[in-house]
Amino acid sequence: ERQYLGEILIAPSVVAETYGSGAKVFRSALRHITVHATLHLLKFDHGTPSGRQNMEQAERRVLGDAF
C-alpha cells in the first residue's frame, strides 16, 4: 500500500534566480532541491546539528558525486 507523503512544489524561476540559469548548474540545483524536499517529506530535518548531519549524509547517498 502506498502512503501519501505530501507534495513538492518547485519554482524553476526561483531556482534560476538563486543558483543561476546555466543549464548544468540549474539541473544540479534542481536535483539537490528535489532530494532535499523529498527527505523533508520523509521526516528528515536539519534544525539540529545531528539532524543536519543525518540529512546531509542522506543527500550524499542519493546524489553521490553530484552533491
Side-chain angles (χ1 to χ4, degrees):
E1 180 180 328
R2 292 183 178 176
Q3 180 181 357
Y4 178 77
L5 299 175
E7 297 177 1
I8 297 173
L9 302 175
I10 299 172
S13 61
V14 174
V15 174
E17 186 178 305
T18 303
Y19 295 94
S21 58
K24 185 175 180 179
V25 171
F26 181 80
R27 282 192 306 268
S28 178
L30 204 52
R31 275 192 301 270
H32 181 249
I33 290 168
T34 301
V35 169
H36 188 89
T38 301
L39 290 172
H40 276 297
L41 291 177
L42 295 171
K43 306 300 182 202
F44 281 77
D45 187 19
H46 48 77
T48 65
S50 64
R52 183 172 29 262
Q53 183 178 13
N54 289 338
M55 193 163 196
E56 287 177 359
Q57 287 173 349
E59 287 174 338
R60 283 189 180 90
R61 282 194 304 271
V62 173
L63 294 169
D65 292 336
F67 181 73

